[in-house]
Amino acid sequence: ENLRFHAGSLRRWGVQDVLNQPVPSIVTGSLRPGVYQLAMTWFDGRDEGGTAGAIQIEVAANQAITVTLPSRAGHTPRLYVSQPGGSTLYLQCEGAGGYVVNRVDDSTARLETMHMRAPRPGSIVTQHNGVLAIADRSYLWVTTPLRPHLQRPMSGFFQFAAPIGFVISADGGLYVSADKTYFISGVESDAPAIQTVFDYASVAGTAVKSPDDKAVWMTRYGVAITEAPGQAKLISQEHFVPELAKAGSSGIVERNGNQLVVTTMTGGRGANPLAASDHYEAEIVTP
């Protein structure tokens, strides 16, 4: 599960999604004829949840729309409706119960969470420029800017060819280790760009931030440190004996004016060539 801690309180991270919109009905009323859009969201008192695409309903002259909003513990339903033929939905009412829409008030709050969802669980969470990057196996999900409780499942993700080993924010972007080591810029914008830093994966869990906002991690050829956005150099390649490692952890140590990167690594487990086994030979003799 996803949990969120703030100001001494622990609560669910994300708000319940609306995957199926309430079904409206037509009654006698005074709406203008046309096609209306309707959508519902849940509000937990602090944040508003995401919702699936709005449903459409056609209204003739002298008709209105009636909707019954469900109830949920700790949540308040909100109903949004568009003008006839419009694409923007406006808040019309909130609270469980039946409502009749005879007029669309377009001076209220607009629906801004359509096609969004609550964050999915992941193994790595990294903060970057007002968004959260969440690693889940070979996927990297990104929350919407300044809304850590929402993400766009149709576009707010990156997929790699191997499980993600680390994600770290530095140099204005995200460094990611998967099948290769990548740098993603503009991850919080509508036009992100990805480039390759190394043509091989780095050691999982070894990325750490230096005091001067550089990213440092371990590779099969020694320690790597970033020089510019998307660029890194191997500072110990000539003096490093490669050793296969599956994962590790790093830290920055400052002593006597020197900065040291300390990394501990764990090797991958494989078959033991020294293993031995016993065997038996038996014969069954019948009279």
Side-chain angles (χ1 to χ4, degrees), residues 23-26 34-38 55-59 64-66:
V23 179
S25 301
I26 296 295
V35 178
Y36 291 79
Q37 296 192 69
L38 296 89
I55 60 174
Q56 297 182 346
I57 184 170
E58 186 172 1
V59 176
I65 302 172
T66 179

Side-chain angles (χ1 to χ4, degrees), residues 135-149:
D136 174 27
R137 295 169 295 178
S138 59
Y139 293 90
L140 182 65
W141 300 89
V142 181
T143 62
T144 57
L146 303 180
R147 290 181 175 178
H149 65 288

Side-chain angles (χ1 to χ4, degrees), residues 30-32 35-38 59 64-65 79-86 88-93 100-109:
S30 57
L31 279 176
R32 290 186 296 159
V35 178
Y36 291 79
Q37 296 192 69
L38 296 89
V59 176
I65 302 172
L79 178 65
Y80 292 83
V81 183
S82 72
Q83 292 285 6
T88 303
L89 282 68
Y90 302 91
L91 178 63
Q92 301 303 304
C93 56
V100 177
V101 181
N102 256 316
R103 170 183 172 272
V104 176
D105 184 359
D106 58 8
S107 64
T108 60

Side-chain angles (χ1 to χ4, degrees), residues 4 23 48 50 60 117 125 130 139 146 166 177 183 187 194 204 222 224 228 235 246 271-272:
R4 180 178 179 180
V23 179
E48 187 168 17
R117 296 288 186 273
V125 180
Y139 293 90
L146 303 180
F166 65 70
S177 174
F183 177 75
V187 66
I194 185 169
I235 61 177
K246 184 178 181 180
N272 186 350

Side-chain angles (χ1 to χ4, degrees), residues 6-284:
H6 178 69
S9 64
L10 182 66
R11 59 190 177 97
R12 176 177 174 176
W13 177 17
V15 184
Q16 181 69 32
D17 300 320
V18 175
L19 303 179
N20 297 289
Q21 303 294 354
V23 179
S25 301
I26 296 295
V27 296
T28 301
S30 57
L31 279 176
R32 290 186 296 159
V35 178
Y36 291 79
Q37 296 192 69
L38 296 89
M40 189 197 90
T41 64
W42 291 109
F43 180 69
D44 68 355
R46 300 183 184 182
D47 300 317
E48 187 168 17
T51 182
I55 60 174
Q56 297 182 346
I57 184 170
E58 186 172 1
V59 176
N62 300 319
Q63 290 184 335
I65 302 172
T66 179
V67 181
T68 299
L69 301 183
S71 61
R72 185 181 185 87
H75 293 71
T76 301
R78 289 178 169 179
L79 178 65
Y80 292 83
V81 183
S82 72
Q83 292 285 6
S87 59
T88 303
L89 282 68
Y90 302 91
L91 178 63
Q92 301 303 304
C93 56
E94 55 184 322
Y99 292 92
V100 177
V101 181
N102 256 316
R103 170 183 172 272
V104 176
D105 184 359
D106 58 8
S107 64
T108 60
R110 299 182 180 186
L111 175 60
E112 298 179 344
T113 63
M114 188 181 296
H115 304 306
M116 297 185 184
R117 296 288 186 273
R120 58 187 300 150
S123 57
I124 303 172
V125 180
T126 302
Q127 183 275 335
H128 174 73
N129 288 358
V131 302
L132 295 176
I134 307 167
D136 174 27
R137 295 169 295 178
S138 59
Y139 293 90
L140 182 65
W141 300 89
V142 181
T143 62
T144 57
L146 303 180
R147 290 181 175 178
H149 65 288
L150 291 171
Q151 65 182 33
R152 297 185 181 275
M154 301 297 291
S155 60
F157 71 95
F158 302 87
Q159 184 178 6
F160 301 93
I164 296 173
F166 65 70
V167 182
I168 187 169
S169 171
D171 301 326
L174 292 176
Y175 289 92
V176 181
S177 174
D179 59 310
K180 300 178 181 180
T181 306
Y182 299 95
F183 177 75
I184 308 176
S185 59
V187 66
E188 71 281 10
S189 68
D190 294 330
I194 185 169
Q195 65 187 85
T196 300
V197 181
F198 296 128
D199 288 328
Y200 48 84
S202 299
V203 180
T206 60
V208 67
K209 197 80 163 288
S210 67
D212 57 350
D213 197 39
K214 299 294 183 181
V216 185
W217 64 84
M218 181 64 71
T219 74
R220 66 181 68 173
Y221 304 112
V223 177
I225 184 170
T226 60
E227 295 183 299
Q231 299 179 19
K233 64 178 179 179
L234 300 170
I235 61 177
S236 58
Q237 183 177 12
E238 297 179 356
H239 310 285
F240 182 77
V241 178
E243 180 180 354
L244 295 178
K246 184 178 181 180
S249 183
S250 299
I252 300 292
V253 178
E254 295 190 13
R255 181 177 177 82
N256 295 331
N258 296 319
Q259 294 181 354
L260 304 176
V261 179
V262 180
T263 301
T264 175
M265 296 186 291
T266 301
R269 295 182 178 180
N272 186 350
L274 300 179
S277 62
D278 294 330
H279 72 278
Y280 299 88
E281 294 182 357
E283 180 180 1
I284 300 176

